Amino acid sequence: MSAAMLQVIGDPVLHSKSPLLHTAMLARLGLELPYTPRVVPKGGLPDYLAWAKAHGVMGFNATMPHKEDLVPLMDELGADAARVGAVNTVCVRGGKLIGHNTDGAGCLAALEAAGLWPRQRVVVLGAGGAAKAVALALAAGGARQVWVCNRTLSKADALAQADPSQVLTAADFSPDTLARLCARAELLVNCTNLGMAGCGQFDSLDFLDALPPEAGVFDLIYHPEETALLSRARQLGLAVHNGLTMLVYQAVLALEYFLDRPLDRRAMARAALEALEA
Ligand code: NAP
């Protein structure tokens, strides 16, 4: 057995910021535990899992294309991973694989750190993987009403039906619907790709005008640092926040799983953010 280590797997994965974030947090904790990226192509999980168990991998993060494929390969699933049907953090304990998903809790932690949580009525834009984790976490975390607005309405419907608390309501992505729901919302969370570097843009951002002045706007995107959505919301005087702290809090939560102990989350997030800004 090799010395203990942590990894992030995916394809592509070499661009991942996880090694930087985790190395900074581990250094702040005074722990000498290597955290390295490893390219694992689609279909390569069985080989990787056997290798990881044999080579002292204590845990690993997973990015595309593995999050759903990991689910049936786990010996145990945490509540978040079971709810979302995707795994992005795996602990290897006594030869057993325990899968977690930090997307939803990471978003809630980032919203809280930004002073945007708790809120009762939330508009979520999108119904993809991130939206599913975020919307279900908002519902489980105490929101009373979460409108899931998506271009493909059937995906929003499926997500709303997956919510046992019935807090989620599916809606379309038309300007009229978005404006009508924004008028009742305290928080808007963008979980679409719209506004991300290299992706499309919203046809119109006029729906933001309908948000009450005390509403907050959170964008999961952090590249660019300020999307057109956040820029317009900021000009309207609304509280805005990008997805960088969500990325950071996801790393903090993953490290808690890997080390199997609670950490000073604010201090860890500070260490990780400092590394990103260096
Ligand atoms: P995904 O599963 O591919 O979902 C993409 C979503 O965007 C879908 O709801 C899709 O709608 C919508 N969309 C794409 N193009 C659109 C368009 N032209 N008009 C309207 N809607 C459009 O992706 P994901 O994994 O959920 O990720 C979504 C975003 O969150 C990405 O930008 C990702 O980088 C970000 N993210 C950030 C963090 C973080 O830590 N900050 C974590 C996870 C994800 P349809 O269903 O109609 O296709």
Side-chain angles (χ1 to χ4, degrees):
M1 172 87 71
S2 325
M5 67 174 126
L6 297 168
Q7 295 205 305
V8 55
I9 65 162
D11 188 13
V13 74
L14 298 179
H15 67 287
S16 169
K17 297 204 185 301
S18 293
L20 178 73
L21 301 177
H22 280 270
T23 301
M25 294 189 293
L26 289 163
R28 190 65 55 97
L29 290 169
L31 293 176
E32 282 187 31
L33 192 56
Y35 184 110
T36 54
R38 185 177 171 103
V39 177
V40 175
K42 179 93 181 156
L45 282 176
D47 284 350
Y48 172 72
L49 295 176
W51 181 90
K53 285 180 188 174
H55 287 82
V57 174
M58 280 173 59
F60 61 91
N61 289 114
T63 179
M64 60 183 273
H66 300 307
K67 292 187 188 183
E68 281 86 21
D69 294 351
L70 276 167
V71 172
L73 301 172
M74 296 294 104
D75 296 300
E76 280 175 39
L77 279 182
D80 284 356
R83 192 164 56 203
V84 176
V87 163
N88 65 5
T89 303
V90 177
C91 297
V92 187
R93 297 246 159 77
K96 283 201 164 169
L97 301 167
I98 304 143
H100 301 281
N101 188 305
T102 58
D103 276 328
C107 183
L108 252 52
L111 284 170
E112 200 171 3
L116 296 176
W117 183 254
R119 295 288 188 274
Q120 307 259 314
R121 292 180 306 282
V122 188
V123 168
V124 169
L125 304 181
K132 184 174 186 185
V134 168
L136 291 172
L138 290 166
R144 293 249 177 100
Q145 176 78 68
V146 177
W147 294 284
V148 178
C149 307
N150 199 44
R151 176 179 62 175
T152 310
L153 183 57
S154 58
K155 280 172 66 180
D157 276 329
L159 174 45
Q161 278 163 24
D163 168 31
S165 65
Q166 300 188 323
V167 165
L168 307 193
T169 306
D172 64 66
F173 208 72
S174 68
D176 285 354
T177 300
L178 295 181
R180 182 172 54 79
L181 298 177
C182 279
R184 298 171 59 195
E186 294 164 291
L187 174 66
L188 178 133
V189 184
N190 177 37
C191 302
T192 73
N193 300 325
L194 292 173
M196 187 161 73
C199 294
Q201 293 289 343
F202 286 90
D203 291 337
S204 163
L205 288 166
D206 289 350
F207 59 87
L208 290 175
D209 297 354
L211 284 166
E214 65 281 3
V217 177
F218 188 86
D219 200 329
L220 263 59
I221 295 167
Y222 50 86
H223 184 55
E225 206 173 311
E226 185 175 78
T227 57
L229 177 94
L230 289 188
S231 170
R232 171 80 170 260
R234 187 174 49 75
Q235 283 161 25
L236 287 167
L238 303 170
V240 298
H241 211 79
N242 76 12
L244 197 63
T245 42
M246 173 172 165
L247 180 82
V248 162
Y249 273 102
Q250 289 207 67
V252 175
L253 296 173
L255 193 58
E256 286 190 344
Y257 283 127
F258 294 147
L259 300 178
D260 199 20
R261 63 176 162 107
L263 299 170
D264 179 339
R265 291 184 179 176
R266 293 273 165 128
M268 288 295 101
R270 249 193 328 272
L273 271 171
E274 280 166 22
L276 281 173
E277 286 159 4

